[in-house]
Amino acid sequence: MALGERGGWDKSESRYCGVETDFNDDMPHLLSFNLSSGGFDFVVASLMDPNYRPSLMEKDIGGGSHVLPFAGSDLVLSPSQWSSHVVGKISSWIDLDSEDEILRTDSETTLKQEISWASHLSLQACLLPSPKGASCANYARCVNQILQSLNNMQLWLRIPLVKNDDDTTDFIPSVSTVTYAQILSWRIFSIHVYSRVRGDSWELWNSFRLLCEHHSQLSVALDVLSSLPSANSLGRWLGEPVRAAIIHTDSFLTNARGYPCLSRRHQKLITGFLNHSIQVVISGKLNHGVPSVSLDSALDHTGTNVESSQRHSLRPYLDYIAYLYQRMDPLPEQERFELSYRDFLQSPLQGHNPLFHIISDEFCTIEFSNYYLSFQPLMDNLEAQTYETFEKDSVKYIQYQRAIGNALVDRVPDEEASSLTTVLMVVGAGRGPLVRASLQAAEETGRKLKIYAVEKNPNAVVTLHSLVRLEGWEKTVTIVSCDMRCWDAPEKADILVSELLGSFGDNELSPECLDGAQRFLKQDGISIPSSYTSFIQPVTASKLHNDVIPCLCAQVSPLEAISFSSKCALALQVKSHKDVVHFETAYVVKVHSVARLAPCEPVFTFTHPNFSTKKSNQRYKKLRFEIPSDTGSAMVHGFAGYFDAMLYKDVHLGIEPSTATPNMFSCCASSSVCFVESYFDTGLQIPAWFAIFFPLRTPVCIRPGSPLEVHFWRCCGSTKVWYEWCVASPNPSPVHNSNGRSYWVGL
């Protein structure tokens, strides 16, 4: 039973808890006992008799054929049982980097045999034992060979959560019933693990995955021990492909009633893992003297009646994990709506690349609803459903209304409110949400308005005319069907209002558009927004980096979706562009499974109006990020980008994490539109921006005390605007997107 279903809790996503078991050749009984009596969702079970050694087997039978001692035939369980409830555990004795040639050879043979058997059983994952020492080259080589021909099965590499230096935080008990024997047990268990992994276990994982070429089917299963590293050190794992957290029973405390519990730091860690869809596995023996009382008085978080005599010895640990999960705050409706967009790369439309033309000309906006499309603001006309999605972002328009109201009050004194009319121009009026916000602001402040609604999309202009007639705005609103850069205004404006901001602030050509429009703004006129700044921060984002290629393979036209061979051909074409186009494209994404390694730093700032005669929208910025020393080493897969805009004076709008507008930061990058029609009638407030992600072609490993130096450029040509970026230290990277060869926005 999923953790989210326990106790009748209505959770938007279920979490699962498994149990690590010893070898048992009676798999049906093993599964029945742990799932039915124990209440666990799956077992991590050994597939091979631990006493098996290929060299001994061959010696005993004289080189003849033999039956491998697997845990039963594939027929003892149904295919769905193998696939849904069993994670294979590779023999823990294997040591592929041993100096002993026989052990090394036996280990390699056994590893391949067990993985082959697991693949035959259609298991979803196998747990690989932790490397026995700091050197793991041969182990990684063998695993990489297996990965090259593996089906969809995941390989979980077991890594102890260790960073045994000054930042390691010991397990400090907060429960009065902790005994000296328990403390001694925790110490012995930790020392046993520390003796195998010295230093930072992240380094061990990083070496292994580098040797395996960042393969997307290689993941991590973290052994959670009694001592935990610092919060910064733990945080970097959120950006790694962690699939499971294995909690040993030795890591639990005992509460006043005699039941297992975890320290506050462990609780926070486990709930964080659960929030990131990381499965929990209980490992070990019963180490707590659970009282022999009826279940009515026992700590049972599931509400399930099970006789004490039938109760699984590890059930109290499962109940506690379920208890932690059920204590988590339920996701708000907005978060539940956004679940399917977490960590989904959403690629912008391109103006010149033939591959992207194939994808975008007949794009299937219903079937591939997990993708947002960034549009070319000066080259494309939006569709009605796109406008409708934008208009559902109530927070944005509330902020605009506040800003316009404040500007009107500053512009027109109270004594002149009834006689003075303010000229306000909405450039890029769309279907009229800013026109409506402006009129509501005027009504609230008691000011008189004359509005020009300028819109280049002829289809949206039809809607604007209908809206004006419906609302009776004919005497107040004048509709102009024209590109703002080409319009000759009959009079100067007091206030110029626009909503051209992108996820990175200026990435939808707001500077270029407003430069062209400000010629009809009075010298003392007000621009809303008045300024905006882009921000970046380095992130560990293994999933995003691995998904750069697959995300584009999924984007096919309806005709291509019908043809499997065409889809394969497209995938090959995508792969051939891997080194340049896809890793030099900025993606819109709701970042979730990422580790933010340093605070955001400002990049480019634009201010409006800008009447300078020497103005240029080209920008260059060198940034330096200091990673906290207690983080340890970390991998930078790219940069998350945000923006913060000052609409007018103290009214701001943005998604930069430290100053994000409420209900805005969990949202989508500009012009990134959800095309799922069923959501249009939900009544949800649809936010307008997610973050933007600038990937690195080759991830950069940063060491403690080594600053990260990054360079960003905003380049302008006669027909396009584009970004370039690179890392200068600790290891220089190529300049990405040189001359806008892969990603640009057309003028």
Side-chain angles (χ1 to χ4, degrees):
M1 179 183 291
L3 293 178
E5 297 173 0
R6 298 182 186 278
W9 282 73
D10 179 19
K11 297 291 183 180
S12 57
E13 270 196 336
S14 297
R15 300 293 185 271
Y16 300 94
C17 187
V19 59
E20 184 176 9
T21 66
D22 294 327
F23 176 78
N24 190 328
D25 56 9
D26 188 352
M27 284 299 296
H29 172 73
L30 181 73
L31 205 62
S32 174
F33 174 69
N34 286 286
L35 270 60
S36 300
S37 299
F40 292 95
D41 300 299
F42 62 95
V43 297
V44 181
S46 298
L47 301 177
M48 182 84 78
D49 187 328
N51 295 315
Y52 165 71
R53 300 292 186 275
S55 57
L56 295 179
M57 179 75 73
E58 292 173 4
K59 185 176 181 180
D60 290 342
I61 64 174
S65 61
H66 57 273
V67 178
L68 296 175
F70 289 124
S73 162
D74 55 350
L75 298 177
V76 299
L77 298 177
S78 69
S80 63
Q81 286 177 311
W82 282 115
S83 177
S84 302
H85 299 294
V86 179
V87 171
K89 183 170 69 170
I90 305 303
S91 296
S92 59
W93 60 264
I94 68 171
D95 184 358
L96 283 88
D97 291 279
S98 172
E99 297 293 331
D100 186 324
E101 185 177 355
I102 295 177
L103 174 57
R104 187 172 65 250
T105 304
D106 277 357
S107 298
E108 184 170 341
T109 301
T110 303
L111 174 65
K112 292 179 178 178
Q113 288 172 339
E114 293 190 36
I115 294 293
S116 176
W117 178 246
S119 182
H120 171 72
L121 297 175
S122 298
L123 301 189
Q124 293 191 38
C126 272
L127 179 66
L128 302 176
S130 178
K132 297 297 189 291
S135 175
C136 57
N138 192 52
Y139 187 7
R141 179 191 69 88
C142 293
V143 169
N144 196 33
Q145 284 181 343
I146 293 169
L147 287 168
Q148 304 312 310
S149 58
L150 198 62
N151 55 16
N152 294 324
M153 187 170 67
Q154 292 279 325
L155 298 184
W156 299 352
L157 181 66
R158 191 167 192 160
I159 297 290
L161 190 54
V162 172
K163 187 171 182 293
N164 55 345
D165 52 24
D166 293 339
D167 85 298
T168 300
T169 303
D170 283 340
F171 196 2
I172 302 175
S174 58
V175 181
S176 59
T177 57
V178 176
T179 66
Y180 175 77
Q182 282 184 292
I183 296 176
L184 184 61
S185 173
W186 298 327
R187 294 299 184 193
I188 292 173
F189 180 63
S190 296
I191 290 171
H192 171 68
V193 176
Y194 286 145
S195 66
R196 290 166 45 200
V197 180
R198 299 185 181 278
D200 185 356
S201 61
W202 182 91
E203 298 277 9
L204 184 62
W205 154 247
N206 189 49
S207 297
F208 200 97
R209 60 105 169 263
L210 287 173
L211 290 165
C212 292
E213 305 174 283
H214 295 269
H215 202 285
S216 60
Q217 288 172 253
L218 179 65
S219 307
V220 180
L222 286 175
D223 260 320
V224 179
L225 310 178
S226 57
S227 293
L228 294 178
S230 69
N232 284 329
S233 180
L234 291 173
R236 62 192 164 153
W237 287 104
L238 295 180
E240 300 290 359
V242 180
R243 295 290 179 265
I246 304 172
I247 310 175
H248 200 278
T249 54
D250 285 336
S251 296
F252 284 81
L253 298 168
T254 305
N255 68 12
R257 299 175 62 192
Y259 287 89
C261 63
L262 291 171
S263 72
R264 292 188 184 278
R265 293 195 73 229
H266 281 76
Q267 291 179 39
K268 185 176 181 180
L269 176 67
I270 297 305
T271 54
F273 283 156
L274 291 172
N275 187 46
H276 283 76
S277 301
I278 295 170
Q279 301 179 88
V280 174
V281 177
I282 303 297
S283 176
K285 305 296 183 183
L286 176 64
N287 284 337
H288 296 74
V290 179
S292 299
V293 295
S294 67
L295 289 182
D296 290 337
S297 61
L299 182 62
D300 189 289
H301 306 295
T302 68
T304 304
N305 283 323
V306 182
E307 294 297 329
S308 295
S309 59
Q310 299 175 345
R311 190 172 175 84
H312 194 291
S313 63
L314 299 184
R315 182 62 175 264
Y317 302 95
L318 170 63
D319 289 341
Y320 185 76
I321 298 301
Y323 166 69
L324 288 182
Y325 181 61
Q326 292 169 6
R327 279 180 53 197
M328 293 170 62
D329 293 334
L331 286 176
E333 189 176 13
Q334 183 69 38
E335 284 284 328
R336 292 200 300 272
F337 169 79
E338 295 172 355
L339 278 175
S340 60
Y341 302 104
R342 285 179 173 177
D343 298 319
F344 257 93
L345 292 175
Q346 306 147 22
S347 34
L349 299 182
Q350 301 295 303
H352 72 293
N353 190 296
L355 173 61
F356 285 92
H357 276 307
I358 293 172
I359 293 171
S360 61
D361 287 348
E362 297 291 335
F363 192 78
C364 182
T365 58
I366 301 301
E367 267 109 307
F368 299 103
S369 58
N370 277 327
Y371 290 87
Y372 284 144
L373 297 181
S374 246
F375 67 94
Q376 296 278 354
L378 299 185
M379 298 170 64
D380 300 336
N381 287 326
L382 297 185
E383 298 176 356
Q385 58 187 4
T386 307
Y387 282 120
E388 185 168 354
T389 302
F390 287 165
E391 292 159 11
K392 286 182 179 288
D393 185 3
S394 60
V395 171
K396 176 172 67 173
Y397 295 113
I398 289 171
Q399 292 298 91
Y400 265 98
Q401 185 174 323
R402 285 183 56 207
I404 294 168
N406 291 349
L408 287 172
V409 170
D410 288 350
R411 193 80 181 172
V412 181
D414 290 341
E415 57 271 17
E416 298 181 36
S418 59
S419 59
L420 190 60
T421 299
T422 300
V423 177
L424 184 147
M425 294 180 180
V426 179
V427 290
R431 301 196 309 179
L434 283 182
V435 174
R436 187 183 298 277
S438 300
L439 290 171
Q440 289 174 342
E443 183 178 353
E444 287 180 358
T445 58
R447 267 56 176 178
K448 297 174 67 176
L449 270 186
K450 179 179 182 180
I451 296 178
Y452 289 91
V454 184
E455 175 55 50
K456 73 177 180 65
N457 184 350
N459 302 309
V461 168
V462 173
T463 307
L464 277 173
H465 279 290
S466 176
L467 179 66
V468 168
R469 288 194 301 270
L470 180 65
E471 299 289 348
W473 296 340
E474 291 90 346
K475 294 182 180 180
T476 307
V477 179
T478 300
I479 298 172
V480 180
S481 181
C482 184
D483 188 318
M484 69 182 78
R485 297 171 297 171
C486 306
W487 179 47
D488 290 324
E491 58 182 319
K492 296 281 188 178
D494 296 289
I495 301 175
L496 188 67
V497 182
S498 64
E499 53 172 332
L500 304 169
L501 297 172
S503 302
F504 204 49
D506 56 82
N507 61 301
E508 289 184 1
L509 305 185
S510 179
E512 285 70 25
C513 292
L514 294 182
D515 284 351
Q518 76 174 22
R519 69 184 185 281
F520 41 77
L521 180 66
K522 292 179 180 177
Q523 197 68 29
D524 63 344
I526 297 170
S527 174
I528 299 176
S530 60
S531 67
Y532 38 90
T533 300
S534 54
F535 293 82
I536 65 165
Q537 66 179 160
V539 293
T540 296
S542 177
K543 183 183 186 303
L544 298 185
H545 198 266
N546 284 334
D547 285 354
V548 166
I549 305 305
C551 84
L552 294 173
C553 294
Q555 297 186 15
V556 295
S557 70
L559 292 178
E560 287 167 337
I562 296 171
S563 169
F564 179 79
S565 60
S566 176
K567 186 174 180 180
C568 289
L570 180 64
L572 290 174
Q573 190 177 3
V574 168
K575 190 173 182 180
S576 68
H577 287 72
K578 144 182 185 179
D579 290 334
V580 178
V581 174
H582 306 136
F583 284 100
E584 294 189 342
T585 297
Y587 295 91
V588 167
V589 61
K590 176 174 171 54
V591 292
H592 181 64
S593 295
V594 302
R596 296 174 173 88
L597 300 175
C600 293
E601 293 289 344
V603 189
F604 308 132
T605 296
F606 291 88
T607 303
H608 301 286
N610 179 9
F611 293 110
S612 170
T613 57
K614 297 181 179 180
K615 63 187 175 188
S616 169
N617 291 327
Q618 294 206 145
R619 295 287 191 275
Y620 163 63
K621 187 66 175 287
K622 179 173 73 173
L623 302 109
R624 181 185 174 94
F625 295 95
E626 298 285 349
I627 312 301
S629 58
D630 63 345
T631 300
S633 299
M635 186 68 77
V636 179
H637 291 99
F639 305 92
Y642 318 95
F643 81 93
D644 187 79
M646 195 59 64
L647 296 182
Y648 181 70
K649 290 188 173 178
D650 62 342
V651 181
H652 90 104
L653 190 67
I655 60 172
E656 193 278 313
S658 65
T659 60
T661 308
N663 297 323
M664 291 290 293
F665 176 59
S666 60
C667 42
C668 46
S670 73
S671 321
S672 305
V673 183
C674 169
F675 290 110
V676 187
E677 293 186 64
S678 61
Y679 286 137
F680 287 154
D681 300 320
T682 62
L684 286 175
Q685 173 219 311
I686 309 298
W689 294 277
F690 282 155
I692 196 166
F693 176 63
F694 294 92
L696 290 172
R697 285 160 57 181
T698 302
V700 174
C701 184
I702 51 175
R703 306 292 179 187
S706 297
L708 179 68
E709 184 179 309
V710 182
H711 297 254
F712 258 76
W713 294 264
R714 186 184 196 268
C715 306
C716 303
S718 58
T719 60
K720 64 182 182 181
V721 173
W722 68 96
Y723 299 103
E724 298 179 11
W725 62 96
C726 75
V727 171
S729 71
N731 301 309
S733 74
V735 175
H736 291 58
N737 197 34
S738 179
N739 203 35
R741 62 188 174 191
S742 303
Y743 163 66
W744 49 265
V745 185
L747 290 169

